[in-house]
Amino acid sequence: MQNNQAKSKTNQSSLNVLNDLHAIMTHLPIVLRDRICEECNWSIPTYYRKCRAGVKGEKAYSKAEEQMIVKVYMETLKGAFDHIDKYKNIQPAS
């Protein structure tokens, strides 16, 4: 518990912002894939098969799945933006 309190008191400007933002962007596709697989009850191979299927014009998922995909993307991107918002108030070094 004390370790968590120490972390919460850490000055945000002392964090490696570049590393944190890079980690968010690197993990975002995996988080999206996993959430879509969970919500649509797909396996990972099914996810990638459905990703490729639309290239030729045919639709590989239902309208309900399409709506869920959009919903998951919006929620996940909102979460990423909410995480990034904590850096808005970083003051330049003087």
Side-chain angles (χ1 to χ4, degrees):
M1 185 113 178
Q2 188 171 352
N3 191 19
N4 288 341
Q5 290 174 346
K7 285 182 181 181
S8 67
K9 292 180 183 179
T10 303
N11 186 356
Q12 287 180 346
S13 62
S14 68
L15 296 175
N16 186 335
V17 175
L18 179 60
N19 186 31
D20 189 38
L21 297 178
H22 178 78
I24 291 168
M25 296 306 294
T26 302
H27 290 98
L28 197 58
I30 297 165
V31 171
L32 286 167
R33 181 200 65 199
D34 291 347
R35 286 263 337 267
I36 290 169
C37 285
E38 180 182 332
E39 294 293 337
C40 294
N41 198 27
W42 296 345
S43 66
I44 292 174
T46 298
Y47 171 85
Y48 286 111
R49 188 172 52 253
K50 289 180 181 271
C51 283
R52 285 191 314 271
V55 174
K56 297 178 183 177
E58 71 273 6
K59 207 165 187 180
Y61 40 80
S62 68
K63 185 69 174 172
E65 289 172 329
E66 182 176 57
Q67 291 171 344
M68 182 57 68
I69 291 166
V70 171
K71 178 183 174 205
V72 167
Y73 266 80
M74 297 296 288
E75 289 173 356
T76 304
L77 290 173
K78 183 183 180 321
F81 281 118
D82 289 347
H83 182 84
I84 293 166
D85 273 348
K86 71 182 181 184
Y87 295 116
K88 280 185 176 178
N89 297 325
I90 292 179
Q91 299 298 317
S94 40

